[in-house]
Amino acid sequence: MLLPIFFIFCFLFSSSNALDFCVADLKSPQGPAGYSCKKAEAVTVNDFVFSGLAAAGNTSNLIKAAVTPAFDAQFPGVNGLGISMARLDLAVGGVVPMHTHPEGSEVLLVTQGAITAGFVSSSNAVYYKTLKKGDIMVFPKGLLHFQINAFKTPAMAYVSFSSPSPGLQILDYALFGNDLPSDIIVETTFLDYAQVKKLKGVLGGTG
């Protein structure tokens, strides 16, 4: 009889001491598990509100696209909750090249225009479709995926992630936007030296 009562008291005690949230202390370093928790007395309602997705991003760039993140670094309230959001703006001809999010899955909701989006599975199966306003698509964690505005009007979407900091690696920049020697890229791809040098020149790579 005493044992069940003991477990009940243990449960109540542990529940009463559980953290409701862990607002990011942006003054602390970010580790694999996210940021350290801000002291409770320093937390305000503004930590749980983010207004940065209201304005369109600047699409005057090479890929004619802009991503406005609401990750833990911008939106401290999502730290430790396993969620975050972003806004995607695509000008006419805009593209988000093949990329991955190593730390989270993604759900995209089109709110303006139309976006052709897709991903490639680990077995190299391809899943893509043109999404219209109100359509949503999911991109599983870690898989290569893309978004393209191939239409005559700007497009916009809201994106949610299953991580407060999903990470990002763009394939083109991983190959051509750094100092990885061109000879190695030629050996590990089907591209010739001239093509590699041209892409490095476009994307700012060296070597």
Side-chain angles (χ1 to χ4, degrees):
M1 181 65 184
L2 291 177
L3 193 59
I5 295 175
F6 172 77
F7 280 117
I8 290 172
F9 274 107
C10 287
F11 173 76
L12 292 174
F13 180 78
S14 62
S15 296
S16 64
N17 285 274
L19 288 175
D20 294 321
F21 46 77
C22 177
V23 171
D25 179 0
L26 299 181
K27 296 179 181 179
S28 69
Q30 186 181 24
Y35 288 94
S36 299
C37 302
K38 183 187 288 189
K39 292 182 179 179
E41 59 269 24
V43 174
T44 73
V45 67
N46 291 329
D47 290 315
F48 302 103
V49 178
F50 183 76
S51 302
L53 302 188
N58 182 8
T59 57
S60 299
N61 52 57
L62 178 65
I63 61 175
K64 299 181 181 179
V67 176
T68 305
F71 302 159
D72 50 7
Q74 300 82 27
F75 189 13
V78 302
N79 185 57
L81 298 182
I83 55 172
S84 62
M85 292 193 68
R87 170 175 172 153
L88 170 63
D89 290 283
L90 289 169
V92 176
V95 57
V96 182
M98 283 284 190
H99 64 283
T100 69
H101 302 291
E103 300 300 328
S105 297
E106 172 183 344
V107 176
L108 179 141
L109 167 64
V110 178
T111 58
Q112 177 184 330
I115 296 173
T116 299
F119 66 88
V120 182
S121 75
S122 58
S123 63
N124 291 322
V126 180
Y127 303 89
Y128 72 96
K129 190 169 184 176
T130 297
L131 309 174
K132 299 179 180 179
K133 181 178 179 180
D135 289 341
I136 65 174
M137 185 170 184
V138 65
F139 306 90
K141 175 181 175 180
L143 296 185
L144 284 167
H145 59 287
F146 64 89
Q147 290 95 20
I148 302 171
N149 180 1
F151 300 89
K152 297 181 179 180
T153 60
M156 196 261 278
Y158 287 107
V159 186
S160 64
F161 296 94
S162 63
S163 168
S165 183
L168 172 67
Q169 185 172 41
I170 298 177
L171 181 60
D172 293 339
Y173 284 93
L175 286 172
F176 309 111
N178 52 39
D179 61 355
L180 182 63
S182 297
D183 291 341
I184 292 179
I185 299 175
V186 169
E187 291 294 329
T188 56
T189 66
F190 293 103
L191 301 174
D192 62 38
Y193 192 82
Q195 291 173 314
V196 170
K197 296 297 288 185
K198 178 180 179 181
L199 289 167
K200 277 182 172 284
V202 171
L203 298 177
T206 60

